[in-house]
Structures are given as C-alpha cells and as structure tokens.
Amino acid sequence: VLNPFIEADEDDDNTDNDDEELNDEELKEQAEGDPKEKKVSVGKTCLPGIVYLGHIPPRLRPKNMRNMLSLYGEIGRIFLQPEDRSVKRKKKKAGTKACSFTEGWVEFRDKRVAKRVAASLHNTPMGARKRSRFVSDLWNIKYLHRFQWCHLSERLAYEMTVLQQRLRTEISQAKRETNFYLANVEKSQNMDKLRKKRERKGEKIEEKSWDFTQRRTEDEIQMSRLQQPFAPDTCWCCE
C-alpha cells in the first residue's frame, strides 16, 4: 500500500519543478524580449544621409569641414571637388599655389540629423565667432533625398571617363594637325628642289596663279546700286 504522504510529497516536487520550468521560460522571454519590440528596434536602424554644399570658401579644407559639422552629428565620409586644372594653371602663373574647392558632399550617419542640419544651417554664417575666417561666408547646404554615396562615386567615375575621352580626342586632333603641317612642309621642300633643278637647266617655270573671282560684299552691292543712273519709266502715251 502506498503511503499518501509520499504521494503528496511527490506532487509537491512536481509542482516545484513546473514552477522552475515556468520561471526559466519567463526568464528566457525576458532575455529575448518581445518580438514586436524587436521589429520596432530593427526598423529604427540609422540610415545615412548626404547633404550637398554648393559653396566652399577659400582656404577651407576637409578637416575644417568635419570639425564644423561634427558638432551637429556623427559624420562619415566627406568629399570636396577641387578646382579645374585650367584654373590651377592660371593660379600657378599668377604665383598662388593655394588649392580651393568648388563644391562638396558630406555624409551623416543618420539621415534625420542631415535633414535637420540642412534646414537649420542654410543661409546662415559659417563661422560662429567674429574672429573666424568664414564669418562672411554663408552656408549653401541642401539635403539630397534618396541620394547614396555610390551615386556620387559613379558620377565621379563618369566625369573622369569623359575627361579622359576628351583628352584623347584633343591629342588625336593635335596629331592630325601636326602630321598635315609636316606633310605640307615636305611637299613645299620637294617643290623648291624641282624648281631649282629646272632653273639650273634653263627651263621656264610657269608659276600657277589662282583664277577665281571673290564674291562681292553687301556694302559693295549697295554702293554699285547707288552709283547707277536713275532711269525714269517711260509712259506708253508719250511714245
């Protein structure tokens, strides 16, 4: 015969184990968190945003730009477009070696910060202090909607290929011109040699002349019309 006290003890042990299992499951759920909260946290991942700078004052470098904009949020990559090569050559001839930038792109880690920065800093002084070098310059900043850094790299690669192609066409055109000039020089030298030989032999040399009439200009046509005598029309009754 089984002892009822032993069965009661066994039931108590089972209930304790069930409570422990439930506690373990609750702890696991708490550690894992609510799946809805997980989805919300995943949906709030920071997407980068890029702003465009239409004006870069002289003597401003990328490190200065990073120091000025890092006060408003975390900054990723910065690219400033340097001046054209023709402008650099003119500056070198003038004696100035300073390199300036024309436009730029700045990437913020969070696009919401980029939107706020573009909206708040546009048309405001770049320098906060009166002694700053950039107090007289204004921010020309705009947020680029749905613009990514790969788009900028693709654009720069396209501009580089266009520049190289233009340089190749210019070089080929210059080569054609030089070859044409050298061929004409050689041809004229050969003609001079033939003329000298004929002069030594005593042969007559017929110099070619251009037989053509130049088209008259509008002024010449008007003057010829004015110089013509006026002939009044005769009436049939006078005849």
Side-chain angles (χ1 to χ4, degrees):
V1 178
L2 294 174
N3 193 353
F5 295 105
I6 294 171
E7 290 179 357
D9 292 336
E10 288 178 355
D11 292 336
D12 293 336
D13 293 338
N14 291 331
T15 52
D16 292 337
N17 292 330
D18 293 339
D19 293 335
E20 288 177 359
E21 289 176 358
L22 289 172
N23 291 330
D24 293 339
E25 289 177 359
E26 288 177 358
L27 290 171
K28 284 180 182 179
E29 286 178 359
Q30 289 177 3
E32 289 176 359
D34 193 1
K36 293 182 180 178
E37 292 178 358
K38 264 192 174 183
K39 289 180 181 179
V40 171
S41 62
V42 169
K44 288 185 178 179
T45 54
C46 293
L47 296 175
I50 298 173
V51 295
Y52 171 74
L53 301 170
H55 170 67
I56 306 295
R59 296 181 297 172
L60 182 69
R61 298 292 177 266
K63 63 178 183 179
N64 304 124
M65 185 67 68
R66 184 177 291 275
N67 292 332
M68 293 166 71
L69 292 178
S70 60
L71 300 173
Y72 306 100
E74 188 179 357
I75 292 175
R77 292 168 284 192
I78 295 176
F79 176 75
L80 301 181
Q81 181 71 35
E83 289 178 332
D84 195 17
R85 293 182 180 178
S86 59
V87 179
K88 288 182 181 179
R89 292 194 200 102
K90 289 179 182 178
K91 283 188 174 181
K92 282 185 180 180
K93 288 180 181 178
T96 57
K97 296 182 179 180
C99 178
S100 299
F101 302 94
T102 56
E103 55 185 357
W105 291 264
V106 180
E107 182 188 34
F108 284 87
R109 296 296 185 187
D110 192 355
K111 67 178 184 180
R112 292 169 293 183
V113 176
K115 289 180 182 179
R116 286 197 296 269
V117 169
S120 59
L121 291 183
H122 186 59
N123 284 335
T124 58
M126 296 183 73
R129 299 178 181 177
K130 292 183 178 180
R131 294 183 181 181
S132 177
R133 293 182 295 179
F134 314 114
V135 175
S136 58
D137 296 301
L138 298 178
W139 285 105
N140 186 2
I141 186 169
K142 181 181 179 181
Y143 175 74
L144 300 177
H145 185 61
R146 293 183 180 178
F147 188 82
Q148 297 179 2
W149 199 263
C150 61
H151 300 156
L152 177 61
S153 59
E154 288 174 2
R155 177 194 167 187
L156 294 174
Y158 173 74
E159 288 180 354
M160 186 61 67
T161 53
V162 169
L163 178 62
Q164 291 176 356
Q165 188 175 2
R166 189 176 65 187
L167 290 173
R168 282 196 296 268
T169 53
E170 290 178 357
I171 290 168
S172 62
Q173 181 68 22
K175 283 182 179 179
R176 283 197 297 270
E177 290 176 358
T178 52
N179 292 332
F180 180 74
Y181 174 75
L182 293 173
N184 287 333
V185 169
E186 188 177 358
K187 188 177 180 180
S188 64
Q189 289 176 356
N190 293 331
M191 290 176 69
D192 289 337
K193 288 179 182 178
L194 290 172
R195 186 171 56 79
K196 288 178 181 178
K197 283 183 181 179
R198 288 179 181 178
E199 285 178 356
R200 289 172 188 172
K201 291 179 180 179
E203 296 179 358
K204 290 182 179 181
I205 302 169
E206 295 180 359
E207 293 184 357
K208 292 182 179 180
S209 61
W210 298 95
D211 297 331
F212 67 93
T213 56
Q214 188 175 358
R215 187 178 179 182
R216 292 191 302 173
T217 60
E218 291 292 332
D219 295 335
E220 291 176 353
I221 293 168
Q222 293 292 334
M223 289 296 293
S224 63
R225 286 178 181 176
L226 292 172
Q227 289 175 1
Q228 288 178 0
F230 178 73
D233 296 336
T234 57
C235 184
W236 63 274
C237 59
C238 298
E239 294 177 356

